[in-house]
Amino acid sequence: MACHSRSCAPLALICALLVVGGLPAARAAPTACAAGAAALLTNGYFDGARVDSLRDQLVAATMANDAYPWARTFGFSIIDVVQGLTREQTARYQAAFAAKYAALGATSVAFADYYSPDAFVAGHAAVIGTPSAVFVVFRGTADLGQGWTSADIRPVSHSVLGATVQLYQAPYRSTMGVWPEVSRLVAAAAAAATGAPGGAPPRVYLTGHSLGGASACLTGLLLKEAGYAIGGVFAFGPYKLGTSCGAGEECWVSVYDRHLGPVTWAWWNNQDPIPALLDSALGTSFAESAWGHVPSDRGWIRVVGDQCLRASGTRLTEVCPPEIDAADGAADGVCSRPFVEAHLPWVYLQKVARCALLQSPREGDAARVDACGRAAVWEVLLGLPAPSGAAAASAAVLGRLSELAAPASAAQLSQLAALQRSTSAQTAAWRAVSAAAGVPVAPAGVPVMPGGAVPGRPEARKARNASAAPAPAARPAPAVRPPAAG
């Protein structure tokens, strides 16, 4: 018997409690879910003040996954997304995304899509407004424009918050391409957010996966510089975005840590190679790299097997610590999981959901969520039937979470892996150009790459965009409000 968001029966309450071991069994269940039970963004489920909460992490991971049209909720194929959605497909995706987040409490949903004139750079974001907060969600590498961009490992200088920092060209170009429209949409959503406690300005929360996680971090600093209150930044399998430096020096990592480090949480799943992408591309070791992750000394969670562990200050922030090496069943000193297995956004969502729903949460997070709230987490946030009865056992819940995987055939996953391999080939091309040109290395250890065209620029995709892809200007969806629950 499922516990639906509009009607929660006593039996469903008992079954839901088995999932998290929360409230006493004697507590009476409501005969109907209150209005707004599904509005997880506004009814207190998303705390906002405690971004280390597993509930907040789950909301952020869901948003990061939903940024990809191939997410199970929307049903587009991986191949469609990689090649670039048509205008009609984009409109359907945006309508479905807006409807979902309206049910979760959004009062407005708007989109920003950017394609460079040569189709070599792309950026995609959604801005979700609520009465008291603004959420900015970035898509990671999905279409060919973003894939080719990821191969560009040249550093670029950018001044922010009074400091000049060196950044990885790929996420920088993607972020700055979509930034003008994102900043406009955030301003509009913030102006409409009048329900913050005490009349305080709305807080802005940013999230993204892979390249999208790097974009969330950079945009967080840009918005802070513009005067916004940043409530939290969530990054899942993020790229390294900028250079690190020693004590007393100024660089990307030190600037970020000073301004947003305390409100940033980043996730690294098992043997996902992407958080060390720049190191492998440049042929340097992770430990000796001139590039650094943010935050540098706090806020990291490493997934080991299926367990979510605090990683900051431990060896779990290394590429292949003993725990990760042993998790694949062979403690042989080698960590070599394939790209598609560890890095995909729905895999991150599965891991975060497992830990939020089954792993003992800090300070009894789950115990404060009633049966209707749990049903909303399953049915509205995750888009899955809420488990009850025998299905509420841990093993069955894990099986249910496996349904979060995007619908994809083996051939489609193979093509996605081919995109990653082509990106690796392009980074090798950059390294070859650097070596042939005798490119000097900057004091921070960052190669100064020459300009010029990149071999294999995707001209076919440029033609596709001209005829079928969405226009560069964002098309904000009409303001939406969740229907009243029965």
Side-chain angles (χ1 to χ4, degrees):
M1 179 176 179
C3 177
H4 298 287
S5 60
R6 294 179 182 269
S7 178
C8 300
L11 178 59
L13 172 61
I14 295 172
C15 294
L17 294 178
L18 293 177
V19 179
V20 294
L23 303 174
R27 180 168 176 170
T31 56
C33 294
L40 302 179
L41 300 182
T42 58
N43 65 9
Y45 181 84
F46 181 88
D47 188 301
R50 291 182 56 243
V51 292
D52 62 336
S53 162
L54 285 174
R55 297 182 305 175
D56 288 10
Q57 306 280 340
L58 177 57
V59 170
T62 303
M63 289 180 172
N65 184 62
D66 285 346
Y68 297 90
W70 64 48
R72 180 184 182 279
T73 300
F74 312 116
F76 291 98
S77 76
I78 287 177
I79 301 305
D80 284 340
V81 178
V82 169
Q83 292 179 339
L85 297 182
T86 65
R87 293 189 181 188
E88 184 274 332
Q89 288 173 323
T90 298
R92 284 195 288 120
Y93 160 67
Q94 292 182 349
F97 184 103
K100 172 175 179 174
Y101 285 91
L104 289 167
T107 52
S108 66
V109 180
F111 301 89
D113 295 293
Y114 168 79
Y115 294 96
S116 62
D118 60 4
F120 190 48
V121 182
H124 306 279
V127 177
I128 302 168
T130 75
S132 60
V134 179
F135 297 85
V136 185
V137 186
F138 286 94
R139 186 183 305 171
T141 305
D143 59 39
L144 289 176
Q146 292 164 308
W148 289 109
T149 303
S150 297
D152 191 345
I153 57 177
R154 296 174 299 169
V156 60
S157 295
H158 184 82
S159 295
V160 61
L161 291 167
T164 299
V165 297
Q166 294 290 310
L167 301 173
Y168 173 18
Q169 183 96 201
Y172 176 78
R173 293 181 67 189
S174 178
T175 304
M176 298 310 294
V178 79
W179 161 247
E181 189 62 15
V182 166
S183 62
R184 185 186 74 80
L185 295 176
V186 169
T194 58
R203 290 188 174 273
V204 180
Y205 300 88
L206 304 100
T207 184
H209 162 266
S210 191
L211 178 144
S215 292
C217 292
L218 176 55
T219 303
L221 277 190
L222 297 175
L223 289 172
K224 184 174 180 65
E225 184 177 52
Y228 291 95
I230 306 302
V233 181
F234 306 89
F236 301 90
Y239 293 0
K240 286 184 174 180
L241 178 54
T243 56
S244 59
C245 54
E249 298 178 328
E250 199 79 311
C251 61
W252 160 253
V253 171
S254 65
V255 171
Y256 190 93
D257 278 353
R258 184 165 64 251
H259 291 284
L260 293 180
V263 295
T264 300
W265 283 89
W267 288 66
W268 189 345
N269 177 39
N270 284 289
Q271 297 177 25
D272 178 2
I274 297 304
L277 175 66
L278 276 177
D279 306 315
S280 59
L282 294 169
T284 58
S285 71
F286 188 82
E288 299 173 351
S289 175
W291 300 88
H293 271 303
V294 292
S296 65
D297 60 354
R298 71 190 88 188
W300 275 88
I301 296 177
R302 188 70 177 262
V303 181
V304 180
D306 285 322
Q307 295 296 309
C308 303
L309 305 176
R310 300 299 176 100
S312 299
T314 75
R315 291 192 63 186
L316 288 175
T317 56
E318 300 174 4
V319 173
C320 187
E323 298 90 339
I324 297 296
D325 181 23
D328 65 1
D332 53 8
V334 177
C335 294
S336 57
R337 284 281 178 91
F339 165 82
V340 293
E341 182 175 350
H343 185 64
L344 292 172
W346 63 80
V347 175
Y348 270 90
L349 177 55
Q350 288 169 347
K351 301 294 186 179
V352 177
R354 182 203 182 281
C355 292
L357 298 173
L358 293 178
Q359 185 171 311
S360 298
R362 288 183 64 199
E363 301 176 19
D365 269 350
R368 296 197 298 271
V369 182
D370 65 16
C372 292
R374 293 188 193 98
V377 169
W378 279 98
E379 298 175 2
V380 185
L381 186 67
L382 298 178
L384 298 172
S388 61
S394 295
V397 169
L398 292 177
R400 184 69 53 84
L401 291 175
S402 69
E403 298 175 24
L404 289 169
S409 65
Q412 290 173 335
L413 289 176
S414 176
Q415 182 160 343
L416 191 63
L419 173 63
Q420 189 266 340
R421 288 194 297 272
S422 69
T423 298
S424 298
Q426 287 298 92
T427 57
W430 278 116
R431 290 176 63 188
V433 169
S434 176
V439 175
V441 176
V446 181
V448 183
M449 305 300 293
V454 176
R457 180 169 292 184
E459 296 299 331
R461 184 177 176 280
K462 177 180 178 181
R464 175 181 173 85
N465 286 341
S467 62
R475 296 183 299 282
V480 290
R481 292 187 181 277

